[in-house]
Amino acid sequence: MKSLVILISGRGSNMQALLEASLPATSITVISNNPAAEGLTLAQAHGIATHVVDHRVYASRESFDAALAEVIDACQPDLVALAGFMRILCDQFVYHYQGKLINIHPSLLPAFPGLNTHVRALQEGIRIHGCTVHFVTPELDHGPVIIQAAVPVLSRDTPETLAARVLAQEHRIYPQAVRWFLQERLTLVDGHVEIMGVNREQHVLYSPDLES
Ligand code: GRF
């Protein structure tokens, strides 16, 4: 059985989705850079061990990342899942966890890396938006895609309504990606993720509908 570490900074709804997914992990630890993260209380309510590594205590990004890695490594994780972890990680950290560090991002990458993805999606007038789980590489919000979910952008959408529609899908795809990883079904072939035993032939999603 496997050891999973989840890194959070705030609300922790993706973390909660992972905790409630009955994942094949014997050990789950939640670590936050923010002592006030609501997700910490949620994790504790699930009986999960939590740690805080407060980035404000460290003089540099490198010293914070090193302290964080020390706490993570003590858990001997098979997988480190970023779940709303709002810190840019230095290259050394990313390479240390290469192949076992994944992230969820609220857009269909490579569109809209970075912050405020829903506002930017509405500004661009795109019809289909979504979320992505990917392996982390040193480039921000970039790396081999494991799974994506698409949602329509509606004419009456605000950033909040669009965010809520995307978030509901985040809560579906993140547990699925973590499960596949822990089941050792993910392999990287030529920089792309292959998933053992998964049928990728599915229907096309149009928005708006071609018939209307
Ligand atoms: C999510 O939208 C996630 O995709 C992004 O930050 C948000 C975190 O939300 N990286 P939560 O803390 O999981 O509720």
Side-chain angles (χ1 to χ4, degrees), residues 19 27 40 48 52 105-106 108 111 113 121 135 150 155 162 173 192-193 198:
L19 297 183
S27 149
L40 287 170
I48 298 293
V52 173
H105 183 75
L108 291 173
F135 281 102
S155 52
L162 184 54
I173 66 171
H192 294 164
V193 177
V198 165

Side-chain angles (χ1 to χ4, degrees), residues 6-15 32-33 37 81-87 103-105 170 174:
I6 306 172
L7 301 187
I8 63 167
S9 295
R11 183 176 57 181
S13 71
N14 277 292
M15 173 210 73
S32 175
N33 65 304
L82 307 179
F85 186 68
M86 304 303 285
R87 299 285 305 170
N103 181 45
I104 183 144
H105 183 75
E170 294 184 38
Y174 212 8

Side-chain angles (χ1 to χ4, degrees), residues 129-151:
H129 188 41
C131 46
T132 304
V133 180
H134 64 99
F135 281 102
V136 174
T137 60
E139 194 178 337
L140 181 68
D141 297 327
H142 194 271
V145 170
I146 300 169
I147 185 171
Q148 296 183 303
V151 302

Side-chain angles (χ1 to χ4, degrees), residues 18-19 22 27 31 40 83 88 103 106 123 177 185:
L18 294 176
L19 297 183
S22 305
S27 149
I31 305 172
L40 287 170
I88 291 174
N103 181 45
Q123 279 168 352
R185 289 168 67 185

Side-chain angles (χ1 to χ4, degrees), residues 7 20 32 36 51 61 75 95 97 108 113 129 155 183 211:
L7 301 187
E20 292 176 356
S32 175
H51 297 275
R61 190 177 295 285
C75 304
Y95 287 130
Y97 297 104
L108 291 173
H129 188 41
S155 52
Q183 290 172 336
E211 308 294 312

